[in-house]
Amino acid sequence: MISHEDVKHLATLSRLRFNEAEVAQYTKDLGSIFEYAKALNELPTDEIAPSSHAIPIENVFREDVIVPFDADALLINAPDEEGHAFKVPQILAD
Amino acid sequence: MTLIHKPATELQELIKQKQVSSREVTEAFLAQIHLVEPTLNAFLTITDELALSMADVVDEKISKGHALGPLEGVPIAIKDNICTENIPTTCASNILKGFLPPYNATIIETLKHAGLPILGKTNMDEFAMGSSTETSAYQKTHNPWNIDCVPGGSSGGSAVAVAGFEAPLSIGSDTGGSIRQPASFCGNVGLKPTYGRVSRYGLIAFASSLDQIGSFSNNVTDTAHLLNLLAGHDPKDSTSLALEKEDFTRFIGSPKKGLRVGLPNEFFKHLSPEIKALYTTLINKLSQDGIEFVWLDLPSIEYALATYYIIAPAEASSNLARYDGVRFGFRAAGTSSTSEMIEQSRSQGFGAEVKRRILIGTYVLSSGYYDAYYKKAQKVRTLIKKDFDLAFEQVDIIASPTTPTPAFKLGEKTSDPLEMYLSDIMTIPLNLAGLPGLSIPCGLHNNLPMGWQLMGKAFDEARLLQVAHQMESLIGFGGRS
């Protein structure tokens, strides 16, 4: 069963932050969803190969060529920038 | 019949015969958009200028005596999870508020090249996660058949654009039924092509092994013409397949003789008596018209919904890791470190349903649970695919209701996620198997449309559309007056 602690741990892994009410709500939601998903255990699958895709997928190769792009066009969406670079808050502590 | 009530192929005939210009057609749809949007809320962005300038290019071609390509000059609406250069593309999420893609999705390049004026970007469930378009961070879209009802989802805006006569054609995406379910709720034709048939380059990823771009239109013929434009290999999408070019309209109008249609028992089990009666009447009618139905079993299908709600969130939790507030999209203000900035940006930028799926996906992918959930689901996916393969040895097409109920009321299912997920129980199996399917309207229940889902073999869209056209003619659904 999913506990409040599980949801808090998942939140950390997912880079999300929740208040206590949200933790309670998601604990309940995930609990009922995984309860429903338990039904899969009724199916014997030991001899079955897993499918990551429905159709056979092969790796696709191409020549390694440089395609130039317009830096200004990409930086239009930057939340913060300085000197043609994406700017973020401090990464390392003092 | 006014312009906005005509199907796309008829509109193009009128443009070709110079009875109307592409600009007049486009203006008619833009006028309808501005008239009904305060009520329906199907669009997030309306691109009047772009649409009219594209229409003018077509009209100039005509004035110079150049021949027009298929559907050229007929306007179209686009779901807001498909990248349009310098036009806001938000996935109906706050985390992408104001995002201006620096490039076009491949299908946008295709549609621009083919000369279909783009009317705007349509509302959807946030990141296509939902079945009613109610998880949009921006607005609630209403069903034109009854404005107290949801349009379905996640491509609810695109379904309503066509049902509300705001566009003769629209583009959606279908991960677990996000085209077929809203098409059913809104009474139009919604096609999900085979996985790999249409390029996904520029479609903002939700669950990459399930996502596929498709369309909404007023009839099967329009759908086939639009697929002719959309289909094709794209080197920019490693899952798009290099198949020979084909004409998907080629069988339309010549009914298939000796057609065998499979009816999976599992899809008819959970229907209410009234809905079951509606489909029994439909099957009896089509039988009398010479279509042979065969009841069959797809035993693993009962597990499709559970399988989907492990695989799709797993892929989503990985795909959505890119939203970190660093390079584009929303960034939370007033944070003192990068890790806090990322956490706050994601917590404030994503809505509740998206967060729920990220948590589910993170759980099933974490060590200790990976085999029990994710790998198990991938194995069941193999069984589901095998069930379809076996069934298609006996029949040409498989048919079922598209949804277990007609459109429900706004707010009716928002408090119980599992209840909402159940509305996709009929459409999800096909995405797991990667097969093509479409929904055509087949009748009314409480004055709301119901859909008839037709499913085909992989890459057999031409046959699927032929049978859909045949049944569409026999059903004679009148549409919304």
Side-chain angles (χ1 to χ4, degrees):
Chain A
M1 225 41 253
I2 306 279
S3 67
H4 283 216
E5 290 313 308
D6 289 332
V7 168
K8 285 179 186 168
H9 179 57
L10 290 172
T12 308
L13 293 175
S14 311
R15 302 294 189 98
L16 292 168
R17 189 176 294 184
F18 297 128
N19 60 36
E20 286 304 319
E22 288 171 315
V23 169
Q25 183 62 47
Y26 285 124
T27 305
K28 185 170 156 273
D29 293 348
L30 266 63
S32 71
I33 289 158
F34 289 121
E35 185 61 33
Y36 180 81
K38 260 194 188 163
L40 295 186
N41 295 326
E42 294 164 11
L43 283 175
T45 52
D46 286 352
E47 309 297 317
I48 307 296
S51 297
S52 62
H53 277 81
I55 54 165
I57 301 281
E58 281 174 36
N59 207 1
V60 177
F61 295 94
R62 61 164 172 79
E63 291 306 312
D64 186 18
V65 282
I66 295 169
V67 182
F69 60 86
D70 177 6
D72 288 325
L74 296 186
L75 283 162
I76 278 177
N77 289 295
D80 198 3
E81 62 150 320
E82 194 177 304
H84 256 207
F86 296 105
K87 190 177 174 187
V88 294
Q90 186 175 347
I91 292 176
L92 298 171
D94 294 324
Chain B
M1 211 195 228
T2 56
L3 283 177
I4 56 167
H5 297 105
K6 292 184 193 299
T9 34
E10 265 183 53
L11 287 170
Q12 209 214 4
E13 235 4 83
L14 294 176
I15 295 171
K16 274 182 175 169
Q17 291 165 3
K18 299 185 189 177
Q19 292 190 26
V20 285
S21 64
S22 174
R23 175 176 262 267
E24 284 166 327
V25 170
T26 306
E27 278 174 342
F29 284 103
L30 286 170
Q32 174 74 356
I33 289 172
H34 290 290
L35 181 69
V36 300
E37 270 305 290
T39 311
L40 297 181
N41 277 330
F43 284 81
L44 290 172
T45 305
I46 304 163
T47 52
D48 306 66
E49 277 180 35
L50 172 68
L52 292 172
S53 70
M54 289 178 77
D56 288 344
V57 172
V58 177
D59 290 332
E60 199 179 321
K61 241 177 119 171
I62 297 170
S63 73
K64 285 179 179 163
H66 297 308
L68 296 189
L71 296 176
E72 191 163 4
V74 179
I76 192 163
I78 310 289
K79 189 176 180 179
D80 206 34
N81 60 349
I82 293 170
C83 285
T84 41
E85 191 175 354
N86 282 324
I87 296 166
T89 301
T90 68
C91 275
S93 179
N94 276 324
I95 212 156
L96 280 174
K97 194 170 194 168
F99 174 60
L100 294 171
Y103 67 96
N104 276 324
T106 296
I107 68 138
I108 299 299
E109 287 294 326
T110 305
L111 293 172
K112 282 192 147 180
H113 187 73
L116 279 74
I118 292 172
L119 295 165
K121 305 295 293 288
T122 58
N123 195 26
M124 55 185 281
D125 281 296
E126 184 179 2
F127 281 99
M129 298 177 189
S131 310
S132 64
T133 310
E134 289 169 292
T135 71
S136 167
Y138 301 112
Q139 61 196 33
K140 302 262 183 283
T141 300
H142 297 258
N143 191 317
W145 289 80
N146 178 343
I147 56 167
D148 295 330
C149 289
V150 301
S154 66
S155 312
S158 286
V160 169
V162 172
F165 309 115
E166 297 173 272
L169 299 167
S170 65
I171 297 293
S173 67
D174 190 315
T175 305
S178 285
I179 290 174
R180 289 159 289 150
Q181 187 255 26
S184 174
F185 280 10
C186 292
N188 42 44
V189 178
L191 170 73
K192 180 202 96 72
T194 313
Y195 185 84
R197 175 68 91 180
V198 176
S199 168
R200 292 183 296 111
Y201 180 74
L203 168 67
I204 296 176
F206 160 17
S208 306
S209 82
L210 303 162
D211 297 342
Q212 181 63 156
I213 288 175
S215 66
F216 295 87
S217 67
N218 291 297
N219 63 44
V220 174
T221 306
D222 286 358
T223 303
H225 282 288
L226 185 53
L227 184 61
N228 277 347
L229 295 179
L230 299 176
H233 177 241
D234 178 9
K236 289 175 176 163
D237 173 4
S238 65
T239 59
S240 111
L241 295 176
L243 302 161
E244 214 162 294
K245 192 109 187 124
E246 59 177 298
D247 176 6
F248 295 102
T249 67
R250 68 188 186 279
F251 297 140
I252 283 183
S254 50
K256 182 170 162 54
K257 294 201 177 66
L259 177 70
R260 277 164 68 89
V261 178
L263 299 171
N265 285 304
E266 291 78 7
F267 283 79
F268 290 82
K269 257 190 202 170
H270 308 290
L271 301 176
S272 71
E274 296 85 16
I275 301 285
K276 200 165 193 171
L278 186 146
Y279 286 100
T280 306
T281 308
L282 172 68
I283 292 163
N284 289 341
K285 179 189 161 28
L286 293 173
S287 303
Q288 281 161 14
D289 291 324
I291 290 169
E292 187 193 347
F293 287 99
V294 187
W295 287 94
L296 45 83
D297 285 314
L298 297 170
S300 313
I301 293 299
E302 300 265 36
Y303 302 92
L305 191 68
T307 304
Y308 177 86
Y309 276 100
I310 292 171
I311 291 176
E315 295 184 16
S317 70
S318 169
N319 276 325
L320 270 57
R322 77 192 63 184
Y323 301 99
D324 56 10
V326 174
R327 293 148 298 151
F328 54 86
F330 169 77
R331 177 184 290 188
T335 58
S336 55
S337 73
T338 293
S339 61
E340 191 196 351
M341 184 278 286
I342 293 173
E343 200 174 83
Q344 287 295 352
S345 298
R346 287 168 64 81
S347 298
Q348 294 171 33
F350 288 135
E353 179 63 24
V354 173
K355 289 176 188 169
R356 188 178 294 122
R357 300 214 195 178
I358 290 173
L359 293 176
I360 298 169
T362 305
Y363 184 78
V364 301
L365 290 177
S366 45
S367 79
Y369 302 102
Y370 181 90
D371 284 353
Y373 288 100
Y374 184 61
K375 205 166 173 191
K376 180 79 188 182
Q378 285 192 320
K379 288 179 166 192
V380 179
R381 185 175 189 179
T382 305
L383 293 175
I384 290 166
K385 193 171 152 20
K386 277 187 178 159
D387 275 0
F388 275 109
D389 288 346
L390 278 175
F392 278 123
E393 287 175 12
Q394 304 171 50
V395 298
D396 307 284
I397 294 288
I398 295 174
S400 78
T402 312
T403 54
T405 67
F408 43 88
K409 293 269 163 65
L410 281 141
E412 190 180 320
K413 298 189 185 209
T414 41
S415 59
D416 183 351
L418 198 53
E419 184 67 20
M420 184 71 90
Y421 297 171
L422 283 166
S423 70
D424 293 331
I425 198 158
M426 314 278 196
T427 49
I428 273 173
L430 210 65
N431 298 77
L432 292 166
L435 303 173
L438 87 175
S439 179
I440 58 173
C442 68
L444 295 176
H445 181 72
N446 295 337
N447 290 319
L448 289 167
M450 291 296 297
W452 182 231
Q453 179 177 226
L454 299 170
M455 300 169 256
K457 297 172 191 170
F459 305 107
D460 204 17
E461 284 93 341
R463 189 66 72 193
L464 181 68
L465 290 160
Q466 173 193 34
V467 174
H469 180 264
Q470 188 178 346
M471 290 190 181
E472 177 184 58
S473 314
L474 294 172
I475 291 168
F477 184 77
R480 200 169 62 89
S481 48

